[in-house]
Tab-separated table of all heavy atoms in Angstrom:
chain	number	residue	atom	x	y	z
S	465	PRO	N	24.357	1.862	0.699
S	465	PRO	CA	23.314	1.013	1.273
S	465	PRO	C	22.151	1.844	1.828
S	465	PRO	O	22.348	2.999	2.174
S	465	PRO	CB	24.023	0.278	2.414
S	465	PRO	CG	25.406	0.800	2.499
S	465	PRO	CD	25.628	1.803	1.405
S	466	PRO	N	20.939	1.268	1.953
S	466	PRO	CA	20.657	-0.126	1.664
S	466	PRO	C	20.341	-0.445	0.206
S	466	PRO	O	20.397	-1.597	-0.199
S	466	PRO	CB	19.409	-0.400	2.531
S	466	PRO	CG	18.699	0.909	2.599
S	466	PRO	CD	19.786	1.968	2.590
S	467	VAL	N	19.950	0.580	-0.585
S	467	VAL	CA	19.450	0.241	-1.929
S	467	VAL	C	20.189	1.029	-3.027
S	467	VAL	O	19.715	1.098	-4.158
S	467	VAL	CB	17.911	0.486	-2.039
S	467	VAL	CG1	17.155	-0.482	-1.148
S	467	VAL	CG2	17.528	1.919	-1.701
S	469	ALA	N	20.575	4.135	-3.578
S	469	ALA	CA	19.882	5.294	-4.173
S	469	ALA	C	20.923	6.299	-4.661
S	469	ALA	O	22.041	6.351	-4.152
S	469	ALA	CB	18.969	5.939	-3.128
S	470	LEU	N	20.519	7.081	-5.658
S	470	LEU	CA	21.475	8.029	-6.260
S	470	LEU	C	21.504	9.319	-5.445
S	470	LEU	O	21.225	10.417	-5.934
S	470	LEU	CB	21.049	8.300	-7.709
S	470	LEU	CG	21.124	7.081	-8.643
S	470	LEU	CD1	20.452	7.379	-9.981
S	470	LEU	CD2	22.563	6.638	-8.855
S	471	SER	N	21.856	9.178	-4.162
S	471	SER	CA	21.919	10.352	-3.273
S	471	SER	C	23.061	11.232	-3.719
S	471	SER	O	23.963	10.808	-4.443
S	471	SER	CB	22.207	9.890	-1.832
S	471	SER	OG	21.502	8.728	-1.538
S	501	ARG	N	22.798	-5.635	-1.911
S	501	ARG	CA	21.713	-6.494	-2.362
S	501	ARG	C	21.061	-6.050	-3.665
S	501	ARG	O	20.162	-6.722	-4.177
S	501	ARG	CB	20.644	-6.606	-1.279
S	501	ARG	CG	19.989	-5.297	-0.869
S	501	ARG	CD	18.842	-5.630	0.070
S	501	ARG	NE	18.536	-4.590	1.015
S	501	ARG	CZ	17.325	-4.073	1.170
S	501	ARG	NH1	16.328	-4.476	0.425
S	501	ARG	NH2	17.118	-3.144	2.075
S	502	THR	N	21.482	-4.908	-4.234
S	502	THR	CA	20.750	-4.448	-5.413
S	502	THR	C	21.630	-3.536	-6.285
S	502	THR	O	22.650	-3.004	-5.818
S	502	THR	CB	19.466	-3.702	-4.988
S	502	THR	OG1	18.669	-3.421	-6.148
S	502	THR	CG2	19.747	-2.389	-4.263
S	504	VAL	N	20.559	-0.211	-8.415
S	504	VAL	CA	20.240	1.132	-7.918
S	504	VAL	C	18.708	1.257	-7.906
S	504	VAL	O	18.054	1.043	-8.911
S	504	VAL	CB	20.849	2.209	-8.845
S	504	VAL	CG1	20.324	3.602	-8.478
S	504	VAL	CG2	22.374	2.175	-8.743
S	505	ALA	N	18.160	1.623	-6.709
S	505	ALA	CA	16.695	1.700	-6.571
S	505	ALA	C	16.163	3.075	-6.897
S	505	ALA	O	15.031	3.381	-6.552
S	505	ALA	CB	16.279	1.284	-5.172
S	506	GLY	N	16.949	3.917	-7.527
S	506	GLY	CA	16.411	5.193	-7.992
S	506	GLY	C	17.045	6.371	-7.351
S	506	GLY	O	18.004	6.259	-6.560
S	507	ALA	N	16.482	7.541	-7.698
S	507	ALA	CA	16.918	8.772	-7.031
S	507	ALA	C	16.637	8.617	-5.546
S	507	ALA	O	15.846	7.757	-5.148
S	507	ALA	CB	16.143	9.950	-7.602
S	508	ASP	N	17.276	9.435	-4.739
S	508	ASP	CA	17.012	9.400	-3.295
S	508	ASP	C	15.750	10.203	-3.007
S	508	ASP	O	15.743	11.422	-3.161
S	508	ASP	CB	18.241	9.968	-2.545
S	508	ASP	CG	18.095	9.800	-1.054
S	508	ASP	OD1	16.935	9.709	-0.573
S	508	ASP	OD2	19.124	9.784	-0.367
S	509	ILE	N	14.689	9.516	-2.617
S	509	ILE	CA	13.408	10.173	-2.463
S	509	ILE	C	13.466	11.255	-1.367
S	509	ILE	O	12.767	12.252	-1.405
S	509	ILE	CB	12.280	9.144	-2.204
S	509	ILE	CG1	12.241	8.142	-3.371
S	509	ILE	CG2	10.927	9.794	-2.042
S	509	ILE	CD1	11.320	6.946	-3.188
S	510	HIS	N	14.358	11.039	-0.377
S	510	HIS	CA	14.515	12.094	0.682
S	510	HIS	C	14.918	13.418	0.050
S	510	HIS	O	14.531	14.485	0.534
S	510	HIS	CB	15.605	11.691	1.672
S	510	HIS	CG	15.246	10.456	2.469
S	510	HIS	ND1	15.830	9.244	2.227
S	510	HIS	CD2	14.391	10.291	3.482
S	510	HIS	CE1	15.310	8.348	3.071
S	510	HIS	NE2	14.443	8.956	3.844
S	511	GLU	N	15.700	13.335	-1.009
S	511	GLU	CA	16.160	14.600	-1.627
S	511	GLU	C	15.023	15.327	-2.319
S	511	GLU	O	14.996	16.551	-2.368
S	511	GLU	CB	17.332	14.335	-2.585
S	511	GLU	CG	18.575	13.873	-1.818
S	511	GLU	CD	19.816	13.693	-2.686
S	511	GLU	OE1	19.760	13.943	-3.899
S	511	GLU	OE2	20.830	13.278	-2.119
S	512	PHE	N	14.037	14.598	-2.825
S	512	PHE	CA	12.859	15.263	-3.403
S	512	PHE	C	12.119	16.001	-2.303
S	512	PHE	O	11.612	17.098	-2.504
S	512	PHE	CB	11.905	14.231	-4.067
S	512	PHE	CG	12.470	13.580	-5.295
S	512	PHE	CD1	12.178	12.258	-5.595
S	512	PHE	CD2	13.275	14.289	-6.176
S	512	PHE	CE1	12.672	11.649	-6.716
S	512	PHE	CE2	13.783	13.671	-7.321
S	512	PHE	CZ	13.484	12.353	-7.598
S	546	SER	N	17.246	-4.783	-8.052
S	546	SER	CA	16.355	-3.924	-8.840
S	546	SER	C	17.115	-2.798	-9.513
S	546	SER	O	18.049	-2.240	-8.925
S	546	SER	CB	15.299	-3.251	-7.946
S	546	SER	OG	14.719	-4.181	-7.092
S	548	LEU	N	15.531	0.444	-10.600
S	548	LEU	CA	14.238	1.119	-10.633
S	548	LEU	C	14.449	2.621	-10.750
S	548	LEU	O	15.417	3.173	-10.246
S	548	LEU	CB	13.472	0.838	-9.350
S	548	LEU	CG	13.074	-0.619	-9.097
S	548	LEU	CD1	12.401	-0.776	-7.731
S	548	LEU	CD2	12.158	-1.127	-10.199
S	549	GLY	N	13.512	3.292	-11.391
S	549	GLY	CA	13.555	4.754	-11.499
S	549	GLY	C	14.889	5.198	-12.062
S	549	GLY	O	15.326	4.766	-13.140
S	550	GLY	N	15.568	6.073	-11.284
S	550	GLY	CA	16.885	6.574	-11.710
S	550	GLY	C	17.874	5.434	-11.924
S	550	GLY	O	18.839	5.596	-12.678
S	551	GLY	N	17.631	4.295	-11.293
S	551	GLY	CA	18.503	3.128	-11.483
S	551	GLY	C	18.409	2.603	-12.908
S	551	GLY	O	19.417	2.320	-13.559
S	553	GLU	N	17.245	4.409	-15.359
S	553	GLU	CA	17.715	5.510	-16.218
S	553	GLU	C	19.232	5.491	-16.365
S	553	GLU	O	19.793	5.686	-17.438
S	553	GLU	CB	17.212	6.849	-15.667
S	553	GLU	CG	15.698	6.971	-15.800
S	553	GLU	CD	15.120	8.209	-15.133
S	553	GLU	OE1	15.353	8.378	-13.917
S	553	GLU	OE2	14.478	8.999	-15.820
S	568	GLN	N	14.936	-7.254	-11.508
S	568	GLN	CA	13.776	-6.604	-12.104
S	568	GLN	C	14.098	-5.161	-12.406
S	568	GLN	O	14.893	-4.528	-11.699
S	568	GLN	CB	12.542	-6.743	-11.238
S	568	GLN	CG	12.767	-6.326	-9.817
S	568	GLN	CD	11.459	-6.174	-9.047
S	568	GLN	OE1	10.399	-6.533	-9.531
S	568	GLN	NE2	11.546	-5.620	-7.869
S	570	GLY	N	12.403	-1.275	-13.848
S	570	GLY	CA	11.161	-0.564	-14.074
S	570	GLY	C	11.267	0.917	-13.779
S	570	GLY	O	12.286	1.416	-13.272
S	571	GLN	N	10.215	1.637	-14.168
S	571	GLN	CA	10.128	3.081	-13.888
S	571	GLN	C	8.922	3.302	-12.973
S	571	GLN	O	7.819	3.636	-13.431
S	571	GLN	CB	9.923	3.848	-15.221
S	571	GLN	CG	11.036	3.708	-16.215
S	571	GLN	CD	12.313	4.494	-15.928
S	571	GLN	OE1	13.245	4.400	-16.690
S	571	GLN	NE2	12.381	5.220	-14.828
S	572	PRO	N	9.105	3.120	-11.660
S	572	PRO	CA	7.956	3.197	-10.749
S	572	PRO	C	7.633	4.608	-10.260
S	572	PRO	O	6.814	4.778	-9.360
S	572	PRO	CB	8.411	2.322	-9.563
S	572	PRO	CG	9.895	2.522	-9.539
S	572	PRO	CD	10.336	2.736	-10.949
S	573	GLU	N	8.226	5.629	-10.866
S	573	GLU	CA	8.034	7.003	-10.346
S	573	GLU	C	6.582	7.410	-10.165
S	573	GLU	O	6.239	8.169	-9.248
S	573	GLU	CB	8.730	8.030	-11.259
S	573	GLU	CG	10.256	7.980	-11.222
S	573	GLU	CD	10.862	6.987	-12.191
S	573	GLU	OE1	10.129	6.109	-12.714
S	573	GLU	OE2	12.076	7.075	-12.433
S	575	LYS	N	4.315	5.945	-8.962
S	575	LYS	CA	3.771	5.541	-7.648
S	575	LYS	C	4.030	6.594	-6.583
S	575	LYS	O	3.402	6.583	-5.550
S	575	LYS	CB	4.376	4.186	-7.251
S	575	LYS	CG	3.944	3.106	-8.222
S	575	LYS	CD	4.271	1.735	-7.752
S	575	LYS	CE	3.731	0.738	-8.783
S	575	LYS	NZ	4.117	-0.631	-8.518
S	576	ILE	N	5.008	7.463	-6.838
S	576	ILE	CA	5.167	8.593	-5.915
S	576	ILE	C	4.785	9.914	-6.615
S	576	ILE	O	5.281	10.976	-6.269
S	576	ILE	CB	6.596	8.658	-5.284
S	576	ILE	CG1	7.677	8.652	-6.352
S	576	ILE	CG2	6.793	7.544	-4.299
S	576	ILE	CD1	9.054	9.045	-5.805
S	578	LEU	N	5.321	11.032	-9.629
S	578	LEU	CA	6.305	11.634	-10.529
S	578	LEU	C	6.345	10.934	-11.859
S	578	LEU	O	5.727	9.877	-12.056
S	578	LEU	CB	7.702	11.564	-9.894
S	578	LEU	CG	7.957	12.485	-8.702
S	578	LEU	CD1	9.282	12.152	-8.064
S	578	LEU	CD2	7.940	13.958	-9.186
S	579	ILE	N	7.128	11.480	-12.769
S	579	ILE	CA	7.461	10.753	-13.985
S	579	ILE	C	8.997	10.588	-13.940
S	579	ILE	O	9.665	11.262	-13.173
S	579	ILE	CB	7.034	11.517	-15.252
S	579	ILE	CG1	7.870	12.783	-15.447
S	579	ILE	CG2	5.539	11.842	-15.199
S	579	ILE	CD1	7.830	13.325	-16.854
S	698	PHE	N	8.114	16.859	-15.415
S	698	PHE	CA	8.585	16.366	-14.106
S	698	PHE	C	8.384	17.445	-13.034
S	698	PHE	O	7.883	17.171	-11.948
S	698	PHE	CB	10.073	15.991	-14.196
S	698	PHE	CG	10.642	15.519	-12.887
S	698	PHE	CD1	10.613	14.171	-12.554
S	698	PHE	CD2	11.221	16.407	-12.001
S	698	PHE	CE1	11.134	13.741	-11.327
S	698	PHE	CE2	11.748	16.002	-10.794
S	698	PHE	CZ	11.695	14.654	-10.460
S	714	PHE	N	4.759	6.448	0.669
S	714	PHE	CA	5.943	5.571	0.505
S	714	PHE	C	6.668	5.424	1.852
S	714	PHE	O	6.916	4.297	2.318
S	714	PHE	CB	6.896	6.157	-0.545
S	714	PHE	CG	8.159	5.343	-0.721
S	714	PHE	CD1	8.188	4.244	-1.562
S	714	PHE	CD2	9.334	5.665	-0.031
S	714	PHE	CE1	9.349	3.481	-1.723
S	714	PHE	CE2	10.487	4.910	-0.168
S	714	PHE	CZ	10.503	3.816	-1.040
S	715	PHE	N	6.938	6.533	2.510
S	715	PHE	CA	7.668	6.449	3.777
S	715	PHE	C	6.758	5.959	4.909
S	715	PHE	O	7.218	5.303	5.834
S	715	PHE	CB	8.325	7.807	4.106
S	715	PHE	CG	9.510	8.098	3.244
S	715	PHE	CD1	9.539	9.217	2.417
S	715	PHE	CD2	10.604	7.221	3.198
S	715	PHE	CE1	10.631	9.482	1.590
S	715	PHE	CE2	11.690	7.480	2.367
S	715	PHE	CZ	11.716	8.610	1.565
S	718	ARG	N	6.651	2.258	5.377
S	718	ARG	CA	7.876	1.772	5.989
S	718	ARG	C	7.972	2.189	7.462
S	718	ARG	O	8.487	1.467	8.277
S	718	ARG	CB	9.073	2.217	5.184
S	718	ARG	CG	9.155	1.396	3.890
S	718	ARG	CD	9.869	2.083	2.763
S	718	ARG	NE	9.898	1.226	1.579
S	718	ARG	CZ	8.906	1.181	0.662
S	718	ARG	NH1	7.838	1.929	0.782
S	718	ARG	NH2	9.005	0.363	-0.372
S	719	ALA	N	7.398	3.357	7.761
S	719	ALA	CA	7.474	3.865	9.161
S	719	ALA	C	6.652	2.987	10.102
S	719	ALA	O	7.042	2.783	11.249
S	719	ALA	CB	6.984	5.317	9.211
S	722	LYS	N	8.207	0.242	12.059
S	722	LYS	CA	9.120	0.574	13.165
S	722	LYS	C	8.306	1.086	14.353
S	722	LYS	O	7.943	2.257	14.391
S	722	LYS	CB	10.132	1.635	12.700
S	722	LYS	CG	10.996	1.124	11.559
S	722	LYS	CD	11.860	2.212	10.994
S	722	LYS	CE	12.478	1.764	9.682
S	722	LYS	NZ	12.182	2.617	8.565
S	728	LYS	N	14.761	-2.766	17.287
S	728	LYS	CA	15.029	-3.689	16.194
S	728	LYS	C	15.406	-5.115	16.635
S	728	LYS	O	14.946	-6.086	16.051
S	728	LYS	CB	16.184	-3.112	15.338
S	728	LYS	CG	15.975	-3.336	13.879
S	728	LYS	CD	16.983	-2.570	13.049
S	728	LYS	CE	16.879	-3.036	11.610
S	728	LYS	NZ	18.001	-2.611	10.827
S	904	LYS	N	4.415	-9.266	7.762
S	904	LYS	CA	5.264	-8.995	6.598
S	904	LYS	C	5.434	-10.264	5.754
S	904	LYS	O	5.348	-10.205	4.517
S	904	LYS	CB	6.647	-8.504	7.094
S	904	LYS	CG	7.494	-7.955	5.999
S	904	LYS	CD	8.691	-7.192	6.462
S	904	LYS	CE	9.402	-6.666	5.236
S	904	LYS	NZ	10.765	-6.232	5.510
Y	1313	COA	N1	15.167	6.735	-1.940
Y	1313	COA	C1	15.348	6.796	-0.619
Y	1313	COA	N2	15.195	5.741	0.199
Y	1313	COA	C2	14.827	4.592	-0.347
Y	1313	COA	C3	14.587	4.456	-1.727
Y	1313	COA	C4	14.796	5.587	-2.544
Y	1313	COA	N3	14.607	5.549	-3.855
Y	1313	COA	N4	14.239	3.175	-1.958
Y	1313	COA	C5	14.239	2.541	-0.801
Y	1313	COA	N5	14.591	3.406	0.187
Y	1313	COA	C6	14.771	3.097	1.603
Y	1313	COA	C7	13.450	2.733	2.274
Y	1313	COA	O1	12.804	3.884	2.743
Y	1313	COA	C8	13.935	1.861	3.407
Y	1313	COA	O2	14.418	2.696	4.411
Y	1313	COA	P1	14.256	2.294	5.949
Y	1313	COA	O3	15.002	1.026	6.120
Y	1313	COA	O4	14.816	3.462	6.663
Y	1313	COA	O5	12.780	2.141	6.161
Y	1313	COA	C9	15.145	1.134	2.812
Y	1313	COA	O6	15.561	1.947	1.705
Y	1313	COA	C10	14.861	-0.254	2.300
Y	1313	COA	O7	13.727	-0.197	1.439
Y	1313	COA	P2	12.558	-1.259	1.515
Y	1313	COA	O8	11.533	-0.805	0.575
Y	1313	COA	O9	12.154	-1.464	2.932
Y	1313	COA	O10	13.308	-2.561	0.994
Y	1313	COA	P3	12.789	-3.720	0.078
Y	1313	COA	O11	13.913	-4.647	-0.075
Y	1313	COA	O12	11.469	-4.227	0.583
Y	1313	COA	O13	12.482	-3.041	-1.343
Y	1313	COA	C11	12.920	-1.705	-3.313
Y	1313	COA	C12	13.520	-2.551	-2.129
Y	1313	COA	C13	14.051	-1.057	-4.020
Y	1313	COA	C14	12.140	-2.629	-4.257
Y	1313	COA	C15	11.948	-0.647	-2.739
Y	1313	COA	O14	12.604	0.062	-1.718
Y	1313	COA	C16	11.449	0.390	-3.713
Y	1313	COA	O15	10.541	0.131	-4.472
Y	1313	COA	N6	12.054	1.589	-3.665
Y	1313	COA	C17	11.600	2.728	-4.422
Y	1313	COA	C18	11.945	2.631	-5.864
Y	1313	COA	C19	11.484	3.868	-6.553
Y	1313	COA	O16	10.333	4.269	-6.532
Y	1313	COA	N7	12.398	4.495	-7.237
Y	1313	COA	C20	12.107	5.666	-7.971
Y	1313	COA	C21	12.416	6.849	-7.144
Y	1313	COA	S1	12.136	8.305	-8.063
Side-chain angles (χ1 to χ4, degrees):
V467 294
L470 296 169
S471 321
R501 62 172 151 127
T502 188
V504 170
D508 186 335
I509 302 172
H510 295 105
E511 292 185 2
F512 293 145
S546 314
L548 296 176
E553 291 173 303
Q568 51 167 8
Q571 299 284 180
E573 290 87 345
K575 296 191 176 173
I576 54 167
L578 287 172
I579 68 161
F698 178 90
F714 177 85
F715 288 120
R718 286 154 180 87
K722 298 173 192 122
K728 218 171 169 194
K904 191 167 182 196

